[in-house]
């Protein structure tokens, strides 16, 4: 997983979002849908991005935003926030 920059987990229903937590544990930000139980955690710790409509257009927009962030200092901060999400 060392070559992964971001984890996309936009399921419509996710009762066990352990993949998102595992990604955060190794400092990989996630894109999650509002239907996961980690949306508040992702938002409050700046550990990734959330989809409110969960459409392909919104996913493309958020994914593009995440790629821009990864190329900046903010991307580094985002990865640090993902790790903080796991510690807290």
């Amino acid at each position: 997983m060392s070559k992964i920059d971001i984890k996309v987990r936009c399921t419509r229903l996710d009762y066990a979002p352990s993949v998102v937590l595992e990604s955060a544990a190794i400092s990989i930000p996630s894109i999650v849908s509002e239907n996961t139980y980690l949306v508040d955690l992702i938002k409050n710790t700046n550990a990734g991005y959330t989809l409110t409509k969960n459409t392909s257009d919104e996913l493309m927009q958020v994914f593009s935003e995440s790629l821009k962030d990864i190329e900046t200092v903010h991307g580094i901060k985002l990865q640090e926030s993902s790790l903080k999400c796991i510690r807290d």
Side-chain angles (χ1 to χ4, degrees), residues 13-83:
L13 190 58
D14 194 355
Y15 291 111
S18 59
V19 174
V20 173
L21 293 173
E22 290 168 357
S23 295
I26 56 175
S27 299
I28 297 174
S30 293
I31 297 174
V32 299
S33 68
E34 289 282 336
N35 297 332
T36 63
Y37 297 104
L38 295 176
V39 170
D40 289 337
L41 185 63
I42 294 293
K43 285 181 179 179
N44 294 338
T45 60
N46 193 30
Y49 306 85
T50 60
L51 301 174
T52 54
K53 300 174 193 165
N54 208 23
T55 64
S56 58
D57 288 338
E58 183 184 28
L59 176 59
M60 185 169 52
Q61 176 187 353
V62 171
F63 192 69
S64 295
E65 179 185 339
S66 71
L67 291 177
K68 289 176 189 172
D69 288 345
I70 287 169
E71 296 173 356
T72 66
V73 174
H74 179 66
I76 294 168
K77 289 180 183 176
L78 187 65
Q79 289 182 342
E80 291 170 359
S81 294
S82 294
L83 191 56

